[in-house]
Amino acid sequence: PTKDKSAPKLSDDQVVECSYRYINVYEKITGKQFEFPSTKIPVSKRIISNLQQAGLIKGCIAVIMAGSDSDMPHLETLRKELAKFKIPSQIRICSAHKQPSRLEATLALYNKSVEPVVIVGCAGGTDALSGTASYLSRHPVVSCPPDGMNNSCLNNPPGSSNAYI
């Protein structure tokens, strides 16, 4: 079994038998009768809902990304505003210019998240961060440059797009 690359295929009868055994174990452990879900909610949404109910995930997260920590006052302001709405947030420093591989790795990590994520890009100057994040992330990206109006965040690489505040 340790050298097998995949699980063996089960017949329909084997799947049914396995299900009955799991139900039996559930009922013995919990002392409750097993009930099939009454609605046809997709499995992925049920898993997320159960994890939220158990307090293991919060339901969403805003990732505030900046090119450098020199913008920390702006980042902290954003974090405080999000907290007013009880939206959990994290601050990440990764420059699209100086640390492109770190930015890519960080976004790849968030791309695996089961929680809904929004990326808030906070970079001044050319704001390569927001455009690059938008291109590499499966989550929405909102540009919120620390230096106010900055049209450069609207000039993104082909295949990317992000909102602008």
Side-chain angles (χ1 to χ4, degrees):
T2 57
K3 61 185 173 193
D4 292 339
K5 300 267 188 226
S6 62
K9 296 286 183 190
L10 299 176
S11 69
D12 289 344
D13 289 339
Q14 289 171 317
V15 171
V16 169
E17 178 62 28
C18 185
S19 299
Y20 281 125
R21 288 182 184 196
Y22 276 109
I23 290 170
N24 188 18
V25 169
Y26 168 85
E27 290 177 344
K28 284 182 180 179
I29 291 173
T30 65
K32 300 177 186 175
Q33 184 175 353
F34 179 82
E35 294 181 27
F36 287 94
S38 59
T39 59
K40 295 191 178 202
I41 300 171
V43 173
S44 61
K45 289 188 179 188
R46 275 199 340 251
I47 290 170
I48 291 172
S49 176
N50 290 340
L51 290 171
Q52 287 172 339
Q53 288 175 5
L56 298 174
I57 60 174
K58 302 294 183 204
C60 68
I61 189 164
V63 180
I64 305 166
M65 300 186 91
S68 76
D69 58 5
S70 64
D71 297 320
M72 196 56 75
H74 180 64
L75 308 179
E76 289 296 340
T77 298
L78 290 171
R79 179 182 239 170
K80 287 176 189 172
E81 290 300 313
L82 289 164
K84 288 180 185 178
F85 296 96
K86 298 189 182 345
I87 298 173
S89 62
Q90 295 178 343
I91 294 174
R92 299 291 179 150
I93 308 297
C94 351
S95 170
H97 296 293
K98 298 175 189 168
Q99 304 161 317
S101 59
R102 181 176 176 192
L103 175 61
E104 186 174 359
T106 301
L107 290 168
L109 179 71
Y110 286 111
N111 282 343
K112 295 176 185 176
S113 175
V114 296
E115 294 183 281
V117 175
V118 64
I119 307 292
V120 181
C122 301
T126 62
D127 190 20
L129 179 90
S130 297
T132 304
S134 178
Y135 184 76
L136 295 172
S137 179
R138 68 180 186 91
H139 302 289
V141 176
V142 178
S143 297
C144 189
D147 50 4
M149 187 61 178
N150 180 344
N151 290 331
S152 65
C153 62
L154 300 176
N155 301 323
N156 297 314
S160 67
S161 63
N162 53 284
Y164 172 76
I165 297 177

